[in-house]
Each structure stands twice: as structure tokens, then as C-alpha cells.
Amino acid sequence: MAKSRTTVFFCQNCGYESPKWMGQCPGCREWNTFVEETVDKKSTGKVKDERKAAAAPVCLSSVKMEEEERISSGLEELDRVLGGGIVPGSLVLVGGDPGIGKSTLLLQVCRKLAGDSREVLYISGEESLKQIKMRAARIGSFSDQFRLFCETNLDVIQDTIRASVPQAVVIDSIQTMYSENVSSAPGSVSQVREATAVFLQLAKGLGTSVFIVGHVTKEGTVAGPRVLEHMVDTVLYFEGDRHASYRILRAVKNRFGSTNEIGVFEMRESGLEEVQNPSEFMLNGRPEDSSGSIVACSVEGTRPILLEIQALVTRSPLAVPRRTAAGMDYNRVNLLLAVLEKRLHLQLSGSDVYINIAGGLRISEPAIDLAVVLAVVSSARDRAIDEKTLAFGEVGLSGEVRAVSQAAQRVQEAKKLGFTTVILPQACREQIGDVKGIRLCGVRTVAEAVGVIL
Ligand code: TYD
Ligand code: MG
């Protein structure tokens, strides 16, 4: 007979399951993340199901398409990241480092929803009613449709939600919730999974939108949100430097919209404020007349964002010179430096090279290549680039400048922010034609681009 209770080892970072303890997780390559947990085979994922529809296969043409109803969260930036608003019955995971502003964001959403006379329930397992009240006082006044509940017992929470059927529920955080059916500690992989399964059933069964807060931890003491990414409809990550005031909300997975969309917020005294024009925000405090700085344009989702790329090339006292890349891929930087050495005969082997994307954004788009290359050349030659010049384009291994998508949009954004010259791939230049009020310099190679501005 099969045993109903077994112990399994779970990687607390990614949820990898193993019958034996292991030092390194084969799934995510993290060390010392395995914790033994008792799994009650009968209980996992077993929840009262509201919908008992006898489903039969149907043909696609008979499926009715209805215009999905979306509820505005009151924050335009969040709505866009969600794909146009909150979808009723969706399960949204909001992940991020502790203290980044997850509770604040969701409290603001609750305030707006409750203000629109929707029933909202905020369940906190982390803070007392008083603490939440204190935070809420900074944000503003709340209507009585907004209800608070400090509870961590999953059964009690489930009954409460079923009894009141609110339109939105916030779970802060999933790592504090526990089910009596599962014997491991709150925050462990099996508890987090069980709790998410319960909320999934509730969301789909009652049509309630559920927001789950999940902390990201590096120590692996509580299970990270990666464990439940596959179970939810939408995964949002809150990023940003805790010491800087802005925060970036990024969709990593979205069943109701595009990923790669970002929302930019600023943490103020009275909660999170939307940043309508992130380019302006990112370019704040740019140095004037300094070498090694140029502005690039990256498209995040549907929106172009201008960013300052900084490079510093200095003589290195080391045998193996240092290379650092903050905000972009380290290997990409090495590749671009190799292109410069080979194609422009720029001697960099005796120099330390530091690359920084000012503002702390992380960009993976190759469209910033050209700007990185130009910033390095500018710093190496110690000659400043005109500050009203912007560059974008992908750089290939032969030093060619390749076309990128949405070039016209990038040029428009540059024009909007008062730039006078744009260095762009020749292919994009031909495609766009002339734009009034801004000089467009199409270039085919890196050498040509350097010739234009230095
Ligand atoms: P919080 O939402 O508690 O973070 P999380 O839930 O992700 O752990 O945010 C906490 C930080 O935000 C804290 O350092 C204080 C700051 N904060 C403000 O600066 N202004 C505000 O109006 C609020 C509510 C918080
Ligand atoms: Mg919190």
C-alpha cells in the first residue's frame, strides 16, 4: 500500500522536488536550498470546488468571445502592465524584495476599488491592523467598502472569502499563510503551493480578482515566488533600488496582455506616485559636457524610454583589467569592447572599463549597443559628445550597425524631449525618411558613427 505521508526535499528557491537531500539544486543551481518537508499526498491541492461543470470538448468556433471586462486599478501604470486593467477572476502575483513597496501599491489599488464601491478585502499575515492603519493614513482616506483582516489560517480565510465574495482580495503575503492539512512550516514550498492552489480555486470559482504578495528572498529561508509562477495568471515583479525613490513594475508573465511592459512609480511621502514620463525622470541630473556619456533609447513593451549610458575608461594597474557592467549584460559589454578593439583599433587591453546605465534600470535590448560603444570611445578619447545627441542601434560582430524595431517611435520620443540629433542605423533612417525638427544621421558601421560625433 502506498504511504499517504512521505517526506520530500524541496528547493526553497525554485520548488525542485527530490527524494534525497542535495547540496546544489539541479533546477536553479542554487546552493543549500533544500529543505525536508512532509507531504500529505491526500491533501495537496484538495479544495472545495464551486464549479462542477461537466466539461466536454467543444470546437473553437462555438466558443463565444466576449469583450473582457477590465477594472481600472486607478493607477494607469499598473493598468498598462496588467494589459489594460484588472481582469475579474484573475490571480496576480506581485513579487519583490521586502520593503520595495508591494503592500503600499496594493493598498492604493484597494483604496481606488473601494472608492468605486467595490467590495475589497485585504488579508494581512504580516502586519497588525494598527500598522496597516498607519500606512493607510499616509495614503489617504478609505471608504467602508474596504475591509481588513489579519489572519494566516487558510481555512478561516477561505470561509471568510466565500461568505462575503468580495470583488478583489489581497493576500499579504503568501509566505505567511498556512493550511492545517500540510504539516510543514509556513513559507515552505508545500505550504505556499497549497495556499496558492486554494486562492486559484477561489479566484476562478467566485470571479474574485486575487492579488498575492510574494517576497523574493536570497537566503532561501522562505519559498520564493518562482515556486508559484506557473500557477498564477500574471506575475509582476517590483524592482528598483531601495535607496532610490523610483520603482519599476515589470510583467514577467501575463495571460491577459503583453509581458515586457513596465510601469514606473516614485515612492513619495504619500505612497506611490505614477511617473508619466519616465524618460524625463531617467535623464534627471545628467552631467553637462562630460566625456563618456550619451543618451540611448530602449523600447520597453510599447513605450520608448530614454536613458543615459555612461562609460569610464581608465588606465588599469592590474594585469587583467577590470570590466564592470551595471544595468546591462556583462558578456554583451565584453563583446562590444572586442568589436571596438578589432574594428576601430581602440586599445583597451590596458584599461579598466566601467559601464553604467544611469538610473538603475536593467536593459537587455541590443538597441542600446551603439550608445554603449560611443560612450566608451568618448571616454577613451576624453571628448564629450554633444548632449542633445541620442544614439540607438544594434552592433554586430563586424562592427556593422543593424536595424532595430520601432525606430520611428524612438525618434519621436527623442524629439519630444528636445534632442536635436539622432544617430541610428542606416536601414532605419531609410525607412523613416525625414522628420521635421530633428537631424537624423543614418550610419552603417560603428566607425561611421564615431566619425559623425567625435
Ligand atoms: P512596503 O509597501 O511596506 O513594502 P513591502 O510590502 O514590499 O515590504 O513599503 C515600505 C517602504 O515604503 C518603507 O521603507 C516606507 C516606504 N513608504 C514611503 O516612503 N511612503 C509611503 O507613503 C509609504 C506608505 C511607504
Ligand atoms: Mg509588505
Side-chain angles (χ1 to χ4, degrees), residues 98-104 122 124 126-127 135 172-173 213 215:
I100 197 98
K102 302 180 292 296
S103 307
T104 307
Y122 187 101
S124 179
E126 299 200 329
E127 291 159 309
R135 175 178 299 120
D172 191 1
S173 66
V213 172
H215 293 299

Side-chain angles (χ1 to χ4, degrees), residues 43 89 92 105 109 136 166 176 180 214 272 279:
S43 83
V92 180
L105 177 78
V109 172
T176 55
E180 281 162 4
L272 288 158
S279 298

